[in-house]
């Protein structure tokens, strides 16, 4: 739903064609605020915004709002942050002191979680802009910031991705890039030579005896080769999972570049294979490519339909050799769970272990009430939350343990599924 700016008879300024002024400079500062608050704003967009303001001609505040909106806003989830930034910045660019005293103390118990977290990031962005302006006339000084203290790291680990400020999100992304996913090695059908192996290698014994003419026979032993099983990730990118999936893609990029045989699929209303893009060494390049090919970001969720497509087209290719499946979704299905139980059962039978990560588990009062969750829960081996860095560390510990069917994290919810 578009944001309607309040009517204001006085325009914020005039374009270069109609009267000069400092409008281009102010647009540049406004773009810096948006970039610091989390919007992907680059120099090209700043130039286009100045050209658009010059071409359209600013007559009213509403015209100016939609001119900048057309340039800086590319996705639905960016609208509210842009709306807040516009009304604060263009009413008075030096409103920082009042903003810090009015906005920040009021975000202790938010009625609207997303809106006030945006206000927090916007306030920090404006604070950084004002501090940079105050330091501009002074001599530039270079300071080396020490690493975070133990208390800061613990607070960051337990903070919800949805509630992080922009600085905390940057620190969390750096922590995600260092994370690894230890997976228990499993025995394969192939053998390797081992002097202390449990099996006799008759083939090698016969070859040795032929070389020596049969005079001496030396025993040769072998044992099974071990290898990490393939890892298949199915990640929900619908509107309700947008913030979490964007952060988790940084984690999946680190995992993909740390080990072989990792296959990643994104789903919302369609299924998208992004495995090849996550193999790029540069995470920003990888996410940029993913943003271009995944056309259903922030949309609805059709879990049953997309899972059926995966089982039909991809399961035989990627689920061989005892693959582990990591499903990341909140289980809220647009189709009401139609066909979902059948597809989940097939997926569960095709893999060694199926782990479901659901950010809704962060709420103490969570209950499996939706049709999608009720259809999926009986067919998973592990049911965990994924909403902060600490939950991802616990996931790594769970992967390192031997696989067991129907973990306690699942069986505790099964009685609630009975009618």
């Amino acid at each position: 739903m578009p944001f309607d700016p309040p009517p204001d008879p006085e325009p914020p300024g005039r374009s270069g064609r109609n009267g000069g002024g400092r409008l281009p400079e102010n647009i540049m500062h406004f773009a810096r605020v948006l970039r610091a608050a989390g919007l992907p704003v680059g120099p090209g967009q700043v130039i286009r915004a100045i050209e658009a303001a010059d071409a359209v001609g600013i007559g009213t505040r509403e015209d100016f709002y939609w001119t900048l909106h057309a340039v800086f806003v590319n996705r639905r989830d960016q609208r509210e942050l842009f709306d807040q930034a516009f009304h604060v910045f263009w009413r008075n660019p030096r409103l920082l002191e009042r903003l810090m005293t009015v906005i920040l103390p009021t975000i202790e118990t938010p009625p609207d979680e997303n809106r006030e977290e945006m206000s927090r990031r916007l306030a920090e962005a404006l604070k950084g802009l004002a501090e940079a302006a105050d330091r501009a006339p002074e001599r530039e000084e270079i300071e080396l910031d020490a690493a975070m203290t133990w208390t800061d790291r613990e607070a960051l680990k337990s903070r919800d991705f949805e509630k992080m400020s922009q600085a905390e999100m940057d620190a969390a992304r750096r922590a995600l890039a260092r994370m690894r996913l230890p997976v228990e090695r499993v025995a394969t059908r192939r053998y390797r030579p081992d002097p202390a192996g449990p099996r006799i290698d008759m083939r090698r014994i016969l070859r040795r005896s032929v070389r020596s003419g049969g005079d001496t026979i030396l025993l040769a032993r072998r044992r099974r080769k071990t290898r990490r099983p393939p890892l298949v990730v199915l990640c929900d990118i619908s509107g309700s999972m947008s913030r979490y999936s964007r952060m988790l893609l940084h984690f999946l990029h680190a995992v993909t570049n740390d080990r072989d045989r990792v296959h990643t699929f994104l789903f919302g209303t369609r299924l998208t294979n992004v495995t090849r893009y996550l193999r790029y060494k540069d995470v920003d390049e990888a996410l940029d490519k993913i943003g271009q090919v995944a056309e259903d970001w922030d949309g609805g969720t059709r879990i049953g339909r997309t899972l059926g497509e995966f089982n039909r087209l991809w399961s035989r290719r990627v689920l061989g050799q005892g693959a582990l499946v990591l499903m990341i979704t909140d289980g809220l299905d647009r189709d009401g769970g139609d066909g979902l139980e059948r597809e989940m059962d097939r997926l569960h039978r095709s893999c060694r272990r199926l782990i479901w990560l659901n950010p809704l588990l962060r709420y103490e009062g969570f209950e499996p009430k939706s049709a999608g969750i009720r259809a999926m829960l009986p067919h998973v081996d592990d049911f965990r939350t994924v909403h902060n860095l600490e939950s991802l560390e616990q996931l790594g510990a769970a992967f390192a343990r031997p696989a067991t069917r129907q973990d306690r994290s699942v069986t505790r919810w099964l009685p609630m599924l009975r009618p």
Side-chain angles (χ1 to χ4, degrees):
M1 183 176 181
F3 296 94
D4 295 326
D8 190 340
E10 297 182 2
R14 295 288 178 182
S15 66
R17 185 181 63 180
N18 296 330
R22 301 183 61 184
L23 183 59
E25 181 181 351
N26 287 330
I27 291 178
M28 180 187 67
H29 289 303
F30 179 59
R32 290 179 179 175
V33 171
L34 294 178
R35 183 167 60 248
L39 265 63
V41 177
Q45 288 175 287
V46 177
I47 296 174
R48 288 196 295 271
I50 296 174
E51 293 175 348
D54 183 71
V56 173
I58 308 303
T60 64
R61 181 184 182 86
E62 185 174 0
D63 291 340
F64 186 60
Y65 175 93
W66 290 114
T67 299
L68 297 184
H69 184 281
V71 177
F72 292 127
V73 178
N74 300 319
R75 296 194 308 269
R76 184 179 304 174
D77 61 333
Q78 300 171 356
R79 294 179 181 176
E80 189 171 355
L81 182 56
F82 173 86
D83 184 70
Q84 293 181 14
F86 181 89
H87 292 310
V88 171
F89 185 90
W90 292 105
R91 182 177 295 115
N92 183 356
R94 298 184 179 278
L95 198 62
L96 175 63
E97 291 78 11
R98 278 181 289 171
L99 179 71
M100 296 298 294
T101 57
V102 173
I103 293 182
L104 289 181
T106 62
I107 56 176
E108 298 177 357
T109 55
D112 186 347
E113 184 176 287
N114 292 334
R115 184 178 184 87
E116 296 207 351
E117 291 303 326
M118 289 182 180
S119 299
R120 180 183 175 189
R121 294 201 301 272
L122 175 59
E124 291 182 353
L126 286 173
K127 178 181 178 182
L129 181 63
E131 290 176 350
D134 293 339
R135 291 194 305 265
E138 301 176 358
R139 182 174 60 88
E140 182 178 359
E141 295 183 359
I142 301 178
E143 296 182 358
L144 297 178
D145 189 12
M148 289 189 298
T149 62
W150 184 87
T151 304
D152 294 333
R153 289 196 300 268
E154 290 299 312
L156 183 65
K157 284 170 55 177
S158 60
R159 189 175 299 279
D160 195 319
F161 291 142
E162 197 66 62
K163 298 181 179 180
M164 286 184 175
S165 65
Q166 186 61 38
E168 290 170 338
M169 289 172 63
D170 293 338
R173 292 190 185 103
R174 292 191 294 270
L176 290 172
R178 297 189 298 268
M179 279 190 176
R180 297 296 180 264
L181 195 60
V183 179
E184 182 189 15
R185 303 178 70 91
V186 296
T188 67
R189 294 183 179 182
R190 296 183 179 273
Y191 288 85
R192 62 179 178 83
D194 187 348
R199 288 178 175 265
I200 301 296
D201 191 346
M202 292 301 300
R203 182 176 296 179
R204 292 181 63 211
I205 291 174
L206 292 175
R207 283 201 302 263
R208 288 179 179 179
S209 64
V210 169
R211 291 194 196 103
S212 63
D215 295 336
T216 59
I217 298 178
L218 299 177
L219 288 181
R221 294 182 175 274
R222 62 178 183 171
R223 70 170 59 247
R224 286 187 183 273
K225 289 183 177 180
T226 60
R227 191 178 184 183
R228 291 175 178 174
L231 178 64
V232 179
V233 183
L234 300 168
C235 184
D236 188 349
I237 57 172
S238 62
S240 59
M241 286 287 297
S242 176
R243 175 63 66 85
Y244 296 102
S245 56
R246 292 180 193 279
M247 294 295 293
L248 289 173
L249 280 176
H250 287 263
F251 172 68
L252 296 177
H253 177 267
V255 172
T256 304
N257 284 271
D258 177 59
R259 47 176 293 178
D260 61 342
R261 300 194 298 173
V262 178
H263 308 276
T264 305
F265 297 83
L266 306 182
F267 68 90
T269 56
R270 66 186 71 182
L271 185 71
T272 306
N273 184 3
V274 297
T275 302
R276 59 182 296 188
Y277 305 112
L278 285 176
R279 290 178 181 152
Y280 291 3
K281 295 301 181 183
D282 187 353
V283 63
D284 294 326
E285 183 181 3
L287 296 183
D288 181 63
K289 292 290 185 180
I290 291 174
Q292 296 176 19
V293 299
E295 300 178 356
D296 52 343
W297 278 100
D298 300 330
T301 317
R302 289 181 171 174
I303 306 177
R305 177 178 173 181
T306 54
L307 199 54
E309 182 180 351
F310 173 81
N311 287 332
R312 187 174 63 256
L313 301 179
W314 292 99
S315 61
R316 289 181 178 271
R317 307 184 197 182
V318 300
L319 291 183
Q321 301 180 357
L324 302 176
V325 176
L326 199 62
M327 175 164 285
I328 307 171
T329 178
D330 54 9
L332 304 180
D333 190 11
R334 177 178 177 180
D335 295 333
D338 184 25
L340 181 55
E341 185 172 2
R342 179 181 65 254
E343 300 299 340
M344 282 293 297
D345 181 59
R346 178 178 175 181
L347 177 63
H348 191 209
R349 293 173 184 269
S350 303
C351 64
R352 174 185 298 271
R353 190 179 181 191
L354 177 55
I355 299 178
W356 181 9
L357 303 181
N358 189 338
L360 294 182
L361 278 176
R362 70 189 189 274
Y363 297 117
E364 294 182 359
F366 170 80
E367 293 183 6
K369 292 183 176 180
S370 71
I373 296 178
R374 298 176 69 87
M376 295 172 62
L377 197 52
H379 305 286
V380 299
D381 300 315
D382 206 344
F383 190 37
R384 296 180 171 274
T385 183
V386 57
H387 65 286
N388 55 22
L389 296 175
E390 186 176 9
S391 62
L392 288 175
E393 291 181 356
Q394 294 172 357
L395 173 65
F399 263 106
R401 296 198 305 266
T404 57
R405 290 287 181 177
Q406 291 290 332
D407 189 85
R408 167 62 183 164
S409 60
V410 179
T411 56
R412 59 175 295 201
W413 302 105
L414 294 182
M416 298 184 184
L417 302 181
R418 301 191 184 100

